[in-house]
Amino acid sequence: MTQPDTLRGIGESATLARIFPRLPVSSHALLGPGDDSAVMAAPDGRFVVTTDMMIHGPDFRLAWSSSHDLGWKAAASNLADVAAMGATPTALVVAIAAPADSPVSLLEGISDGLRDACLALAPGCGVVGGDLSVSDTLTIAVTAFGDLDGRAPVLRSGARVGDVVAVAGVLGRAAAGLKLLFEHAVVDGRPDATAAAALRASHPTLVAAQLAPRPPIGLGVLASRAGATAMLDLSDGLALDARRLAFASGAAVELSSAAVGSREALDGGEDHSLLATFPPDAELPEGFRIIGVVVDGSGVLVDGQPYSERGGWDPYEQWSGARG
Amino acid sequence: MTQPDTLRGIGESATLARIFPRLPVSSHALLGPGDDSAVMAAPDGRFVVTTDMMIHGPDFRLAWSSSHDLGWKAAASNLADVAAMGATPTALVVAIAAPADSPVSLLEGISDGLRDACLALAPGCGVVGGDLSVSDTLTIAVTAFGDLDGRAPVLRSGARVGDVVAVAGVLGRAAAGLKLLFEHAVVDGRPDATAAAALRASHPTLVAAQLAPRPPIGLGVLASRAGATAMLDLSDGLALDARRLAFASGAAVELSSAAVGSREALDGGEDHSLLATFPPDAELPEGFRIIGVVVDGSGVLVDGQPYSERGGWDPYEQWSGARG
């Protein structure tokens, strides 16, 4: 059996030559990869920018995620932060650091995942630059850009008392998928690929929500056009992110447990769904559903009662290497 | 003795509260950190973007670099890629992943280094967003932006036969500093802090050129205004980067060894000086010095002879964990 090509074996230039053709092209790029910097069009006169890093261990495990999943999730989570401003994603830059003995197919798979996520979630968005490096810890850092097309950015601070609170996308599925993986795909204390594959077959929706989420990226712009007063990406769970929106807006968010659906939907993170507030008379874009209302006060209420579960996820306090 | 605060000990929010006030503010930001994305002004209707990641081991060693050095170098190396397009740096986004038991002062020092490098090398440039994560391998990923102010970007492909070849900034010092560190600041096979401190005292210029380089960022715009036909950042050494410029431009670069100065100046990487070509009648900005000419042919010539040393640095082929 021949050994697969490794990064060390073929070197940086040959690796780049293998992954470049797989990357999505940005229709907003004036100059793509290959020079010291890329040049992007910003016809609006502004651009939005966000960055997010994924680390092997705390953020993903190679026993559970395919390389395609990794590229997909790295793109999707950043695209959601652009969408949450009411902007259209235009481009990504991607820095990847991998162990030198990794197979080249790892980077090819990540590239394919980046491409397929852009094509599916944000057509026209592509990779305009990047960096390859070597690290003992597989690391993917994505920076994403978006265009506001003349609209004001939708901040988390704009909610007003009386606004409806609405969500687009799923709630709690990514956390449910992660819970399944920790319960059923850890063998002798280590993430197990065979068990994860079995789980992916038995619970495809929940596992995919965790490993390769599909946030409703296009609904960010539609929410902005419909007059959304505040919006954010649900990366740390509805309860915690709603509290952030409430705090930034100087008001309280009151949620209906019946509309939210479950405790997992309240607390589970990583769905990358969009939480937005709209004036009471706004016509909500298809895909948003009302789950509450903005009221006087502070924090989050559920069915009228203050909801003070912490929720969310703190990488420094909560991650232990042994779980990775 | 009290233990220093660690990232795990105080958590993500308190860490952010400690580092935010230390970060430089961008005078081009319309919305800074704190929402899903930042919003940047791009009055030119375009922006340039580049990304570069620094990894503990292959790219730096904590025994040699102070946390301030790390922030400084992460900023400086990215600013140089913006300058090499002829653009003015406007902002950075910075993702940092650190071991959970790191002292908070590590991130404070990195922040101070980012700030001081921006203030010294590119006033008006600041940090507009970021991400904190946890990793066994300290990792700093910076994405930098720049504004072209109506000028065409200076590509590496624009050199024409007859152009002069000029360089701004030092050559070979960063590599000489690294050589000193490997020769004199490795004890029992490991990078040694005491030995590195002694070396920093005895050879401050060379060691600082490696650990905290000062590329001539402002000269990028001046070169563009003076009519530079091609430009790039010397990250991999003059010989290799000149070959890249020559290849992209479909010509050869002929260098004068007397003007270049030394073999180390030809081959040593990481100076982040600027290599540019200008029409023969151009008035070079102060700070550029002529080291050669663009001629018919391909590759790099030194004193008329083809120069085929490979030079440069391939992270996948050349890094071994034992050196880190």
Side-chain angles (χ1 to χ4, degrees), chain A residues 4 7 9 31 63 76 86 104 146 151 161 185 192 216 221 248 301 310:
Chain A
L7 301 180
L31 177 71
V104 178
R151 296 180 306 278
V161 171
D192 184 82
V221 167
L301 308 165
R310 191 180 173 292

Side-chain angles (χ1 to χ4, degrees), chain A residues 173-187:
Chain A
R173 280 194 196 159
L178 187 62
K179 187 159 174 276
L180 280 175
L181 285 161
F182 272 120
E183 286 175 358
H184 302 291
V186 177
V187 175

Side-chain angles (χ1 to χ4, degrees), chain A residues 38 40 42 45 47 53 131 137 314, chain B residues 12 40 42 45 47 53 131 137:
Chain A
M40 286 292 301
F47 65 95
M53 205 181 228
D131 185 32
T137 307
D314 185 314
Chain B
E12 185 178 20
M40 286 293 300
F47 65 95
M53 205 182 227
D131 185 32
T137 307

